[in-house]
């Protein structure tokens, strides 16, 4: 969304609990999230959020891992005194549809980026599509996206920090 100050908010659905897929041994988030944060021209504000109960609205197919809208969606919205919500064999508990959402505090990465730049030099920053007469501009941009080993370590540190905050937040909201 955009407000008058031209600040932008972006929600990136980066993780999910997929019953049908094995857990990733390297973490829940992809390191590309860290790469986007590290090379953003202005360090983005990252505010984690966790939700509990979404699997009851959008169950996941055990075989394919795909989500679908539950069959009794409208019924699940009705107050429990009008019908016995969720007690019809669809895995419900008679409580109807409840989704809890909790937002955490902003996660900062300035220390990680500063530490990296002190050891390895200034990170390049993405500048978007720039009009240019140079034919090799695309090649230069593609070359920038090739990450060094040190950069990948930075991305991993950024992602691990996000994962840590998400894990704590998820435990709080899904107690």
């Amino acid at each position: 969304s955009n407000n008058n100050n031209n600040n932008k908010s972006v929600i990136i659905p980066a993780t999910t609990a997929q019953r049908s897929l094995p857990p990733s041994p390297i973490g829940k988030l992809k390191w590309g999230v860290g790469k986007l944060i590290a090379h953003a021209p202005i360090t983005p504000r990252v505010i984690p959020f966790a939700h509990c109960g979404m699997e009851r609205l959008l169950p996941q197919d055990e075989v394919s891992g795909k989500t679908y809208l539950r069959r009794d969606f409208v019924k699940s919205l009705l107050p429990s005194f009008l019908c016995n919500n969720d007690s019809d064999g669809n895995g419900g508990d008679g409580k109807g549809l409840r989704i809890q959402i909790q937002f955490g505090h902003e996660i900062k990465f300035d220390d990680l980026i500063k530490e990296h730049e002190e050891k390895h030099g200034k990170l390049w920053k993405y500048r978007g599509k720039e009009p240019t007469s140079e034919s090799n501009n695309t090649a230069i941009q593609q070359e920038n996206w090739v990450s060094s080993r040190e950069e990948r370590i930075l991305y991993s540190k950024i992602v691990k920090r996000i994962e840590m905050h998400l894990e704590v937040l998820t435990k709080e909201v899904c107690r």
Side-chain angles (χ1 to χ4, degrees):
S1 71
N2 248 341
N3 64 19
N4 291 340
N5 296 330
N6 203 24
N7 293 327
K8 296 182 180 177
S9 300
V10 178
I11 297 175
I12 301 172
T15 183
T16 182
Q18 295 186 342
R19 291 180 298 240
S20 62
L21 302 175
S24 170
I26 56 173
K28 297 176 184 117
L29 297 177
K30 303 291 185 197
W31 61 266
V33 172
K35 185 173 191 170
L36 290 172
I37 291 169
H39 296 291
I42 299 171
T43 304
R45 296 181 69 192
V46 176
I47 302 172
F49 72 95
H51 57 80
C52 190
M54 187 64 78
E55 69 281 359
R56 296 179 65 209
L57 171 63
L58 294 168
Q60 191 174 42
D61 182 79
E62 303 262 344
V63 176
S64 69
K66 294 181 180 180
T67 57
Y68 57 91
L69 189 61
R70 61 190 270 163
R71 289 182 298 258
D72 63 343
F73 172 69
V74 174
K75 180 181 173 186
S76 70
L77 298 175
L78 297 173
S80 60
F81 66 85
L82 292 176
C83 65
N84 192 9
N85 287 343
D86 276 15
S87 60
D88 58 354
N90 286 332
D93 54 12
K95 295 181 181 177
L97 180 62
R98 290 195 184 140
I99 299 172
Q100 295 173 287
I101 301 172
Q102 183 172 332
F103 289 86
H105 299 286
E106 181 177 0
I107 305 171
K108 301 277 188 171
F109 308 100
D110 298 336
D111 61 319
L112 296 176
I113 292 171
K114 182 180 177 186
E115 177 188 2
H116 174 86
E117 288 183 337
E118 285 174 356
K119 287 183 182 177
H120 307 287
K122 193 103 173 119
L123 286 164
W124 67 270
K125 299 296 181 183
Y126 180 72
R127 292 182 301 215
K129 295 181 180 179
E130 297 176 356
T132 180
S133 59
E134 298 176 31
S135 61
N136 66 348
N137 188 44
T138 303
I140 291 170
Q141 285 183 351
Q142 288 175 346
E143 184 179 309
N144 282 342
W145 281 105
V146 176
S147 302
S148 68
R149 179 181 178 278
E150 293 79 15
E151 287 174 325
R152 289 192 303 271
I153 291 170
L154 171 64
Y155 310 153
S156 178
K157 288 178 181 180
I158 291 171
V159 166
K160 284 178 184 176
R161 183 169 291 178
I162 296 171
E163 286 177 343
M164 180 188 68
H165 284 269
L166 285 173
E167 189 174 315
V168 169
L169 199 56
T170 301
K171 285 180 182 176
E172 288 176 11
V173 76
C174 295
R175 341 175 193 188

